[in-house]
Amino acid sequence: MTVVIGWDIGGAHLKAARAERGRIVEAIQAASPLRLGLDRLAQAFAEVKARIGTADLHVVTMTGELADTFASRAEGVGQLCALAVRELGPALSLYAGRAGFIAPQDGPRHVEDVASANWFASASLAACKQRAALLVDVGSTTTDVVPVIDGAVAARGYTDEERLAAGELVYTGLVRSFVIAMADRAPFAGRWSTLINENFATMADVHRILEQLPEGADQMATADGRAKSAEASRARLARVVGCDVDGASEAAWRLLAQWFAERQMRAIMDGVMLVLSAASLRPDAPILAAGIGAAVAEEIARRLGRPHLSFDAILDVAPDVCDRASQCAPAAALAALAATSAMVC
C-alpha cells in the first residue's frame, strides 16, 4: 500500500496527515468542537476528506472521547470509532498506543489503550528517530511533555490521569485555554488586580496581542463572538481586570498580555521540570518542539540550555508541508508509523 492518512480526532479539532510511500505530503486541521455534537465532527470529516483525498488505509487516534458530549470515556471511544468507520470506510485501523493497531470494532474493548493515545504516536516516532529527546508538543488546548531515553518512550504515565500527575500532560494551550486559568490575580496599574472569574478572554487573545499567534492557528469563535483582531483582543483582556480597553494604554495591555504568556510558560516549564526530575535524560538531549506553540517549546529549550529540534525534522515531509505537519504531529506521526509498519507493506 502506498497512501496512508493519519487522523487525530480531538475535542476541538480534526487533524489529518497524508503519507505517500512514507512521505508526508499534506496536513490539515479543521475546527470540530465536539460540544456542538457529532454532526459537527461529521461535517469536519467531509471538509477534510474533500481536501486530503483518498487512501489505501486510514489510521485513527483520538482525544475527543473526553468531551462532555459523552457520558464516559468508554462511550466516547465507542461513538467516535463508529463515526470514523462511517466516514472513512472499512480500510481503517484504530491506534491503541501501547497495544498497537487494532480493528475499530475492538476499540470498546481497549478503552484505556485507545483513549487519548495520540501523544504516544508522536513519542513512538520520536523514539524511532532519536536516541534521546524531550518531546514538547504545545497545542491549542494541551501540552504533551514526553521523554525519550535510549530510543524508547520513557513516560511514567499513560492515561490522562496518570500523565497529569506526572507532569507529562499540562492542560494549557496556545489558543483555547481561558486566561483566568492562568492565575487568580495579575499585576495591573501598579497593583495586584483580582481577576473576574468569567471567560472573557482566551490565550489566543494574549498571543494575538503579542503577535505570536501562528497564522490559521485560532479556528475557534472568540469569547465574545467579536473580531479576531489585536484591538478586539485587548478589549477582551481588559474585561478580565474589570476595565474597558480605553481605560489603559495599548502598552499597558501588551504588558498584561506578556505577564499571562509568562504564566503559561511557567505552567509548561513546571511540567517539563517535573518530568526531567524523574528522567535520566542526558544534558545534551534536545527539546523536540511540536504543535502550534512550537515557539514556546523552543524558548523552553533556550532557558534550559538544551538544543531544540523541530518535529518536522524527524519526518520525511514535503518542504511546503513542514510547518503544518509539525502542528499536526500526532496525525503525521501516525501516518508515518503506519506507512512503515509490516501491516501495510
Side-chain angles (χ1 to χ4, degrees):
M1 297 181 183
T2 59
V3 179
V4 179
I5 297 178
W7 298 86
D8 182 7
I9 305 174
H13 300 95
L14 177 67
K15 299 177 182 178
R18 179 184 181 89
E20 296 180 356
R21 298 187 182 275
R23 188 174 216 214
I24 306 299
V25 297
E26 184 56 283
I28 297 171
Q29 172 179 287
S32 57
L34 274 171
R35 61 183 174 77
L36 300 181
L38 288 173
D39 287 346
R40 183 63 190 89
L41 177 58
Q43 181 183 338
F45 263 111
E47 294 170 0
V48 175
K49 286 190 296 183
R51 296 167 58 192
I52 207 163
T54 60
D56 299 300
L57 177 69
H58 298 277
V59 284
V60 175
T61 186
M62 65 182 67
T63 61
E65 80 289 333
L66 195 62
D68 55 13
T69 305
F70 311 113
S72 66
R73 292 182 305 134
E75 179 185 304
V77 168
Q79 290 199 30
L80 292 177
C81 285
L83 186 144
V85 171
R86 289 197 302 271
E87 293 295 331
L88 302 175
L92 185 151
S93 184
L94 184 64
Y95 186 62
R98 58 193 174 187
F101 294 100
I102 62 175
Q105 61 267 26
D106 294 331
R109 294 198 295 273
H110 290 269
V111 170
E112 291 300 313
D113 295 315
V114 172
S116 298
N118 67 345
W119 68 273
F120 200 84
S122 303
S124 294
L125 184 68
C128 290
K129 303 294 185 179
Q130 293 286 125
R131 290 290 297 170
L134 185 68
L135 171 66
V136 181
D137 184 344
V138 183
S140 65
T141 309
T142 62
T143 297
D144 294 312
V145 182
V146 189
V148 171
I149 300 175
D150 294 332
V153 179
R156 291 189 293 157
Y158 184 85
T159 66
D160 282 345
E161 179 186 9
E162 294 166 348
R163 298 181 66 231
L164 284 165
E168 294 164 354
L169 174 59
V170 184
Y171 237 87
T172 190
L174 206 71
V175 172
R176 298 184 63 238
S177 297
F178 301 156
V179 165
I180 55 172
M182 296 298 104
D184 56 10
R185 64 175 191 166
F188 178 69
R191 63 184 183 275
W192 286 102
S193 176
T194 299
L195 305 183
I196 293 179
N197 197 24
E198 293 280 355
N199 181 25
F200 285 139
T202 66
M203 290 305 294
D205 291 310
V206 165
H207 293 293
R208 186 179 292 110
I209 291 168
L210 299 177
E211 301 176 328
Q212 296 172 348
L213 193 64
E215 184 178 355
D218 182 12
Q219 297 181 325
M220 297 292 107
T222 61
D224 59 5
R226 295 187 174 91
K228 294 180 181 180
S229 65
E231 181 180 4
S233 287
R234 288 191 290 270
R236 285 187 286 269
L237 189 62
R239 291 192 185 95
V240 175
V241 290
C243 293
D244 290 323
V245 68
D246 58 6
S249 67
E250 184 175 322
W253 299 124
R254 183 177 180 85
L255 185 64
L256 183 60
Q258 287 175 322
W259 187 84
F260 279 115
E262 187 63 28
R263 289 288 295 192
Q264 183 175 58
M265 179 75 72
R266 176 59 189 269
I268 297 171
M269 182 66 87
D270 283 351
V272 167
M273 297 301 284
L274 180 58
V275 170
L276 289 175
S277 75
S280 301
L281 194 66
R282 67 186 196 222
D284 62 343
I287 301 293
L288 185 58
I292 60 171
V296 174
E298 292 173 11
E299 172 61 14
I300 285 174
R302 187 193 68 79
R303 294 185 183 193
L304 292 176
R306 288 180 178 270
H308 79 268
L309 189 66
S310 179
F311 192 83
D312 61 84
I314 68 169
L315 293 167
D316 179 2
V317 58
D320 61 336
V321 184
C322 287
D323 287 346
R324 297 197 301 277
S326 182
Q327 291 170 4
C328 300
L334 192 57
L337 290 169
T340 56
S341 170
M343 64 171 289
V344 296
C345 291

